[in-house]
Amino acid sequence: MALTGIEIYKHLPKTNCKECGFPTCLAFAMKLAAKAVELSLCPYVSEEAQQALEAASRPPIRLVTIGAGESKIEVGNEVVMFRHEKTFYHPPGFVVRVKDSEPADAVGKLVAEVAGYSVERVGIELKMDGFAIENESKDGGNFVKCVELVSSKTDLPLILMSTDSSVMSQALDKVASAKPLIYAANKDNWEQMTELALKHQCPLAVCEPEGMSELAELVENVTGKGVEDVVLDPGARDFGPSLVNLTQLRRLAVRKSFRPLGYPIITFPGEAAANAEEEALLAGQQVAKYAGIIVLDHFSPGMAYPLLTLRLNIYTDPQKPIQMSPGIYEIGTPKPESPLCVTTNFSLTYFSIAGELESSGIPSWLLVCDTEGLSVLTAWSAGKFDAERIAKTVKEFNVADTVSHRSVILPGKVAVLRGELEEELPEWKIMIGPPEAWDVGGYLKQHWSA
Amino acid sequence: MAAVEVPIEKWTGKVHEVTLGGNGRKSVVVGGESTLPFLHFEGSLPRRPVIAIEVRDSEPKDWSPHLVDAWGDVLADPAAWAKKAMEYGADIIALSLRSAHPEEGNTGADEARKNVDKVLSAVDIPLIIYGPGVAEKDNEVLVAASDVAKGQRVALGNCEEKNHRTIAATCIADGHVAIGKTPIEINLAKQLNILLCDVGLSRDSILMDPTTGALGYGLEYTYSVMERLRLAALGGDAMTAMPMICTAGEESWRQKEAKFAEGMPEAWGDHLERALTWEEITAFSLFAAGADIMVVRHPGTVERMKAVIDRLMSESA
Ligand code: B12
Ligand code: SF4
């Protein structure tokens, strides 16, 4: 839990020596509470105070990094149960599992396909995040071969799955510098796995299906030895138990600040699902309800795209729609005589219409009004997309100098604005486009002549 | 090491129970929850969330080829369509009187009576009846439908602030349930419930539709408003404690991802798989946010939702 300025002040030297750059210890404490400065600016805090302050200012769920380099997965650091309470910060990583018992060419093909997959939505590139490699063969040589194969095909983060610490050790010798997640320490092997995690400085998953108390105890064993980056596997697999377990873990962490369970959670929806469709639904449940890493056993674009979209939706800040900056955008390479369309600055709206204009093959100008990130009808009913605002935007961005004609196309859903806009922009001809973006190509072919 | 104590929320409120059907017809009761969706460990969930299949009174002209394939000939015959929907596992038939839409036939009260009567005789499960979504026409056909279905306890929608008096009055007169629809806003939802109660409709005769945004098209707004409404209800606010209904089918099949097969990016994958998953994830996410009734379109979605809800409702969960 975050501390208040007063609580922090109690731990400071209270000498007001100003060396931190603030006039008083209290002023510094207030800045610390607002997370605007670092504690290290004060040279005089006691070690004791330092520990107390650091522990207290630690987020309820530790931020854990898997992998190294640009594509690393960062999960944890969540502070609420419900996204409307603030927001969810770190979207769960989608990781695809391969098994070392499968033929190498099949594994290679799948890895190439998953790693190369990317789909665009509202101008954001959505991708899968990594691979889990399972030592199903129980053979160390096979495992190492498979791990090497996968890491030769991708830079995405890896999860190494084996409960045999000697097998794990062989694989880590090859890929530890890529900081894979070690899956997993359990009641029997935790000492050896902990040693490996410490030796290679890799994050460690802790698996204990017996219950919360048992899981917490095992985590404390592991962290007691010095491992800091932990991922939890409470063992529950099916829809109901997974929902209950993950909810309880999140509550313990964010409502009770219960440290031993304040870590991101890994899930395996494929292990409980009867088929790929069910797996997608269970993965969806876990996106909304508290997973940090989701290991998938099926991959297909037709399923990855909706799941990635769901993740984008759930992890969008509820206070701030994804939006564009207002202005005039070029679609294709428009000329002064090309058509001029108007839309709002909600990203979803912008990309819907921009995408259709682009695929119509007709280069055009797209004027984006500042509607505070609201869609066409939402903005219209909130009074943020009216004739006055559109006229102002036309003037603000000197549209009359950009285009040689005087015609502007409105979204069909706000056809009612025509009259008022004719008054606001007397030199312009106001045209009404179709209500849905996908019709815009046909509309332009039929109605546009500059 | 001390046993970890899992925090339990002590809710004081409970969702109102609403009954549809009865009186010779099978009945479906929704609501009654005293905890968040599927969290059996801290409250009771006496009724399972249910599935309604959308049936139209006139053949839909712009539906995805996959919906047309799935339903075939029955699309032209609401009674046969409703029967088939029942076979596919619908708990409720959501009959949409689209032919009354000024641009889709502009039929009136007589046609509405005829079609409602046909569907009522074809199936013995409860009905939801939707108008075409155009204010004057809604009032005309819903009042007629209400009369034909008198005593069968159907749900009539949509009831918005502007027509709430008319819909509430006909529900009171004929013993039906009103579906109050508001645009993704918790205070507006509550306000409409209060208005409906003020004109004399009882609490157990109201469903609320928070307005559905499909996956990728506003789902997150609907999801959060539903979570907030349900939290308010469990916190003891009786005017937000109406069972919730969502229209996942209509909203998701309207989107480009579901509608079009040709010319879409390769990364979108197989059309049927993507379209079905779109509807299923929309529906399932909203069940997880507290929906009590989900109106869907594809039989595959019905099958999958039922299987998953079975598992989430089994007490061992
Ligand atoms: C999500 C949503 C919200 C979100 C906001 C999302 C956002 N960032 O805009 C929230 C919950 C905040 C919201 C709030 C409100 N909402 Co709202 N909302 C919706 C919802 C579900 C989806 C809107 C959406 O995102 N559509 C997707 C985008 C891409 O659509 P679009 O912008 O129209 O763009 C399409 C076309 O217009 C076209 N297009 C776009 N630009 C152009 C340009 C040209 C030239 C052309 C040809 C085409 C074109 O392309 C796109 C794809 O086809 C709709 C209902 C629904 N299911 O559609 C209601 C809806 C828009 N909301 C509505 C209302 C009334 C409101 C509120 C006023 C309610 C209130 N009183 O509080 C508030 C207003 C906001 C405020 N006060 O701040 C009403 C509007 C009623 C009306 N007919 O005017 C709707 C229709 C719901 C309803 N049936 O009552 N809403
Ligand atoms: S440096 Fe430390 S002791 Fe000096 S004023 Fe700042 S907080 Fe106080």
Side-chain angles (χ1 to χ4, degrees), chain A residues 78-139:
Chain A
E78 302 299 337
V79 295
V80 291
M81 295 297 298
F82 300 100
R83 56 188 292 285
H84 65 258
E85 293 175 306
K86 185 153 179 62
T87 185
F88 289 175
Y89 291 99
H90 292 93
F94 284 126
V95 163
V96 174
R97 167 155 54 185
V98 298
K99 296 178 172 167
D100 69 353
S101 50
E102 285 159 3
D105 51 347
V107 170
K109 210 173 133 223
L110 179 64
V111 170
E113 189 191 0
V114 173
Y117 181 76
S118 105
V119 61
E120 197 204 287
R121 215 185 150 78
V122 297
I124 299 171
E125 181 140 321
L126 306 175
K127 295 167 115 9
M128 304 300 282
D129 304 289
F131 295 93
I133 304 147
E134 181 166 357
N135 176 217
E136 200 189 43
S137 72
K138 305 288 173 218
D139 178 274

Side-chain angles (χ1 to χ4, degrees), chain B residues 167-185:
Chain B
I167 304 296
T170 198
C171 285
I172 295 167
D174 298 328
H176 300 313
V177 170
I179 302 175
K181 181 170 178 174
T182 46
I184 327 195
E185 218 275 320

Side-chain angles (χ1 to χ4, degrees), chain A residues 12-13 15-20 22 24-25 28 41-44:
Chain A
L12 294 178
T15 55
N16 301 336
C17 76
K18 303 190 176 56
E19 276 183 48
C20 55
F22 293 90
T24 61
C25 295
F28 181 57
L41 284 179
C42 169
Y44 304 110

Side-chain angles (χ1 to χ4, degrees), chain A residues 19 36 71 77 150 154 163 175 193 213 237 256 258 408-409:
Chain A
E19 276 183 48
S71 52
N77 228 348
V150 175
T154 176
T163 46
V175 295
M193 289 296 189
S213 306
R237 291 291 180 265
K256 297 279 160 194
F258 185 66
V408 55
I409 304 171

Side-chain angles (χ1 to χ4, degrees), chain B residues 156-168 178-203 205-211 229 238-240 242:
Chain B
L156 297 175
N158 286 315
C159 170
E160 296 176 56
E161 195 189 326
K162 54 180 184 275
N163 67 349
H164 80 277
R165 286 173 183 280
T166 311
I167 304 296
I179 302 175
K181 181 170 178 174
T182 46
I184 327 195
E185 218 275 320
I186 177 163
N187 295 310
L188 291 177
K190 178 172 175 172
Q191 186 57 34
L192 183 57
N193 290 335
I194 294 173
L195 288 175
L196 288 170
C197 290
D198 281 352
V199 296
L201 197 61
S202 65
R203 286 172 191 187
S205 300
I206 304 172
L207 295 169
M208 49 180 184
D209 178 343
T211 298
L229 282 165
M239 281 302 122
T240 54
M242 286 62 185

Side-chain angles (χ1 to χ4, degrees), chain A residues 82-84 117-118 121 213 220 238 248 251-252 272 277-278 281 289 300 302-303 305 313 348 356, chain B residues 1 3-7 9 41-42 216 220 223-224 227-228 256-257 267-268 273-274 284 304 311:
Chain A
F82 300 100
R83 56 188 292 285
H84 65 258
Y117 181 76
S118 105
R121 215 185 150 78
S213 306
E220 291 200 305
D238 205 353
Q248 293 180 338
R251 273 201 203 151
L252 281 162
E277 292 81 0
E278 262 187 38
L281 291 172
K289 297 293 177 196
S300 62
M303 212 153 276
Y305 176 40
N313 283 174
L348 181 60
E356 294 301 331
Chain B
M1 144 117 222
V4 173
E5 218 178 294
V6 173
E9 301 279 1
F41 71 98
E42 63 185 6
E220 70 275 35
Y223 178 89
S224 283
E227 286 200 327
R228 292 177 61 194
K256 205 173 149 186
E257 280 81 356
W268 284 17
E273 182 186 31
R274 173 217 319 148
F284 183 50
R304 204 104 51 226
R311 285 156 71 174

